[in-house]
Amino acid sequence: MRFDVITLFPELFEPFLAAGVTRRAYASGQVSVRLWNPRDFAQGNYRRVDDRPFGGGPGMVMMIEPLERCLQAIRADRASLAEPERAPVVLFSPIGQALNHPAVERWAQSPGAILLCGRYEGIDQRFIDAHVDAQISLGDFVLSGGEIAAMALIDAVTRLQPGVLNDEGSHQFDSFNPALDGLLDCPHYTRPEVWQPAEGAAPVPVPDVLLSGHHAHIERWRRDERLRITAQHRPELIVAAREAGLLNAKDEAALVRNS
């Protein structure tokens, strides 16, 4: 899997690619991330990549010509490796579809993409119309550029690749995963068994069921906690699971108890 990232700030990606549980995938080439700076494809002494918008207004707009030359170089590099599929160009934009778990799973099954990180007031619309295949949004807010969004997509996709996580099945118990019927994950605990907060406060133990060794009871507790937390914070996910026929009588009873 290969991601080519078009960014004016490639240095932002250096620590991202060198740390965390996903770094092995980047170091081994299982997931290849190549960074391309449009300034390297700009002309003139100043290597200008932006200009004022026609019609007036604040800010600057990324110019089409450096972006197009950069994209051509990426296409040529991919062609030299005889890659069988044409990589889609993805722009991170407020008008894009919101990134969610099903979308991440689809990207995880793909050969990768060319990720375009916008800056300033945006990108010349003619480049978008001519070359962009998909647009993605992280949510209803605005970032200074597309780099953080690109890192989010790459990280989410990389951790789903075989062998990237130490525990091969751990991602199957992430929030939103179909293995959890799309619910949020349950709380997790570790040592000490009893935590003593600040002086005078009551000690806080780990829930007894998690220490019982009774696996069926533990799994039922975890399921009930997932239902409780999802109903409290993301009730629309409960509705979706119910409509899909994923909730049984014990699930419904747990929801009633916690309502």
Side-chain angles (χ1 to χ4, degrees):
M1 172 176 288
R2 169 176 168 175
F3 289 101
D4 292 275
V5 184
I6 301 175
T7 171
L8 292 172
F9 298 96
E11 63 272 15
L12 294 178
F13 288 82
E14 293 173 3
F16 165 73
L17 298 174
V21 296
T22 54
R23 69 186 184 281
R24 294 188 300 272
Y26 310 132
S28 67
Q30 183 180 1
V31 177
S32 174
V33 179
R34 304 192 184 187
L35 306 174
W36 303 77
N37 192 334
R39 292 191 189 281
D40 296 335
F41 301 89
Q43 296 179 335
N45 294 334
Y46 295 101
R47 294 194 173 277
R48 192 167 187 172
V49 295
D50 62 324
D51 207 339
R52 296 187 181 279
F54 285 121
M60 306 289 278
V61 176
M62 292 181 69
M63 300 165 65
I64 186 171
E65 292 171 332
L67 288 172
E68 188 146 58
R69 284 191 287 268
C70 182
L71 179 59
Q72 289 171 352
I74 295 171
R75 295 283 189 210
D77 188 68
R78 281 179 168 264
S80 69
L81 301 176
E83 295 189 358
E85 297 186 39
R86 178 186 177 277
V89 176
V90 177
L91 173 65
F92 298 98
S93 163
I95 72 170
Q97 292 188 334
L99 187 64
N100 56 24
H101 185 80
V104 169
E105 286 194 320
R106 289 194 297 271
W107 284 110
Q109 300 300 318
S110 77
I114 300 170
L115 308 181
L116 175 56
C117 302
R119 280 275 164 175
Y120 313 125
E121 289 300 309
I123 293 168
D124 191 308
Q125 185 64 38
R126 292 169 294 183
F127 183 88
I128 298 173
D129 294 340
H131 299 296
V132 170
D133 301 295
Q135 299 194 50
I136 291 176
S137 170
L138 292 190
D140 295 340
F141 56 92
V142 177
L143 297 167
S144 298
E147 286 78 11
I148 292 175
M151 293 179 202
L153 175 63
I154 294 170
D155 184 80
V157 167
T158 298
R159 66 191 308 279
L160 296 186
Q161 301 307 305
V164 170
L165 300 181
N166 288 325
D167 186 338
E168 188 68 26
S170 63
H171 68 76
Q172 296 178 8
F173 296 96
D174 291 339
S175 296
F176 312 113
N177 197 292
L180 299 185
D181 295 333
L183 305 177
L184 300 179
D185 198 5
C186 63
H188 299 278
Y189 299 85
T190 188
R191 296 179 188 278
E193 292 182 13
V194 178
W195 171 56
Q196 180 63 58
E199 185 175 353
V204 183
V206 170
D208 290 339
V209 65
L210 297 180
L211 306 175
S212 69
H214 196 301
H215 296 296
H217 289 175
I218 291 171
E219 287 309 308
R220 185 65 247 176
W221 179 88
R222 287 174 171 165
R223 177 72 173 184
D224 290 350
E225 285 296 289
R226 291 178 184 122
L227 291 163
R228 178 185 65 81
I229 291 171
T230 304
Q232 179 179 350
H233 297 284
R234 294 290 302 275
E236 75 278 9
L237 298 178
I238 294 290
V239 173
R242 183 178 289 125
E243 291 176 348
L246 299 176
L247 303 185
N248 58 33
K250 290 184 177 179
D251 294 335
E252 297 292 359
L255 288 168
V256 171
R257 286 196 304 272
N258 292 316
S259 63

